[in-house]
Amino acid sequence: MLHRPATLTGMLLLLASSNVCTAQMESWTSQPADTSLEFIGHYENTELRGEFSDFTVRLVREANALPIALEVHIGVDSADMDDADLNEEIQQEDWFYSSRFPQASYISRTIRTTGTNRFVASGTLSLKGMEKEVEVPFNWSQDSAGAQIIGTLELARGNWNIGSGEWANDETIADRVTVHFSVRLLRSE
Amino acid sequence: MNHTDPNTGWGAMTRLLHWLMAALILAQFAGGWIADQLERSPAKADLMTAHKSLGISILMLLLLRAAWRWTHAAPPPLPGALAWEKTLARWSHFLLYVLMAAVPLSGWLAASTSRIPWNFFWLFPWPRIAQPDQDLHHRAEDLHALLIWILAVVLATHILAALRHHFVKKNDVLRRMLKGR
């Protein structure tokens, strides 16, 4: 019985060791420059932005062809909203609770094509100990030096209990959070 | 025997503004102190929106009041007013006007320098008078706190003096701010 390996490395090893003739796989890894992962909350109808500085993205695709796997790991306590009060608040138990759940991850093994260099990944977002299925659309653009993936999606923070207790209602801080990423990738293997 | 010359009272507008602003300022002391005790929560966010909105309202009323005071003569001091009483009254009233402007302005500066925006009575975003800046924000908060203490001291003197005029000296100082004539 073939089971899906949990890690990208495992997946690559499985493919490499299989007897089935497969296309060459490429593994792409995120670079710190030209890379951002930001989230936008809505407080009383105005936007409050923050971004993560500690995260890695790995994408696997068939040689010069379609992406087949996407994996993101995020150090949640790297969230920065450019305000000391807000930064302290979002790490608390009602919000990210990073002391107990320091890492978040998104793992997708199913990526479908929706246009030229446009894809949608289907996978699991693990955050604050909760796992939910999330679709992540992204564009792929490649140049001589590397590639860039860019995408935007909306999440319902309540699905992961982000902003729990008194903050759970939609009034003061909206349930919907916009996530925007632009990631520079270099081929690593 | 004390009597009030019919032409030497405070007008209706002056009295209205005086007591309205007194009530709002006392409400601000209470609301601000309570908010300071609370943990971050939607309730605290709402209380702070009310506090900031009232602070700006006081600033607007102050403009109106200053304009009115500038264009309408104050009644003369009552007969029997001592020199030190007149001097203290003049200085403390002047100081009150300065503080009634400085306290909300320092609050507005503190709010402006925080990244968190706020809506005037939940209706529309209130403009900033400075850009978000952590350092300036903390200093504005400290200034706001200091000015509030000074205001509290001057207000206590103001209130005690009014009560002294009324109950000890038994004159019309308080009465003419309550009833005018």
Side-chain angles (χ1 to χ4, degrees), chain A residues 80-127:
Chain A
D80 181 11
M81 298 188 76
D82 205 15
D83 181 276
D85 280 344
L86 286 177
N87 286 349
E88 199 207 317
E89 178 69 15
I90 59 176
Q91 301 301 334
Q92 301 305 306
E93 198 176 321
D94 270 347
W95 297 93
F96 283 129
Y97 202 2
S98 54
S99 60
R100 192 164 158 206
F101 304 104
Q103 291 281 317
S105 67
Y106 179 73
I107 298 178
S108 165
R109 298 280 180 270
T110 307
I111 303 182
R112 66 180 193 275
T113 306
T114 55
T116 311
N117 289 323
R118 300 163 75 86
F119 307 95
V120 172
S122 299
T124 306
L125 176 60
S126 300
L127 176 61

Side-chain angles (χ1 to χ4, degrees), chain A residues 123-184:
Chain A
T124 306
L125 176 60
S126 300
L127 176 61
K128 202 178 175 181
M130 311 271 290
E131 294 189 347
K132 298 276 189 236
E133 297 304 300
V134 171
E135 292 210 325
V136 176
F138 62 95
N139 292 357
W140 165 281
S141 63
Q142 197 169 343
D143 54 54
S144 55
Q148 195 86 18
I149 56 169
I150 297 174
T152 301
L153 60 144
E154 281 210 351
L155 296 174
R157 61 178 176 82
N159 284 345
W160 291 270
N161 278 338
I162 308 286
S164 56
E166 299 172 294
W167 296 105
N169 71 65
D170 201 20
E171 285 171 25
T172 312
I173 297 180
D175 188 46
R176 65 187 173 92
V177 175
T178 308
V179 175
H180 179 75
F181 59 91
S182 175
V183 180
R184 184 88 186 136

Side-chain angles (χ1 to χ4, degrees), chain A residues 29-30 54-58 71-74:
Chain A
T29 309
S30 56
D54 174 21
F55 65 98
T56 52
V57 178
R58 280 195 204 88
E71 200 164 298
V72 185
H73 292 278
I74 304 164

Side-chain angles (χ1 to χ4, degrees), chain B residues 7-11 14 68-78 90 93 97 176-177 181:
Chain B
N7 294 323
T8 62
W10 293 104
T14 301
W68 193 265
R69 187 76 169 76
W70 198 263
T71 54
H72 292 73
L78 287 166
R90 206 166 34 241
H93 295 161
Y97 272 97
R176 67 185 187 179
M177 184 52 89
R181 298 182 201 291

Side-chain angles (χ1 to χ4, degrees), chain A residues 43-44 46 48 81-86 88-89 166-167 172, chain B residues 40-42 45-46 49 114-119 122 134 137:
Chain A
Y43 167 71
E44 288 195 355
T46 53
L48 284 176
M81 298 188 76
D82 205 15
D83 181 276
D85 280 344
L86 286 177
E88 199 207 317
E89 178 69 15
E166 299 172 294
W167 296 105
T172 312
Chain B
R40 270 182 227 109
S41 64
D46 277 346
T49 295
S114 158
R115 192 152 287 278
I116 302 168
W118 64 281
N119 296 330
W122 297 273
Q134 311 257 37
H137 175 66

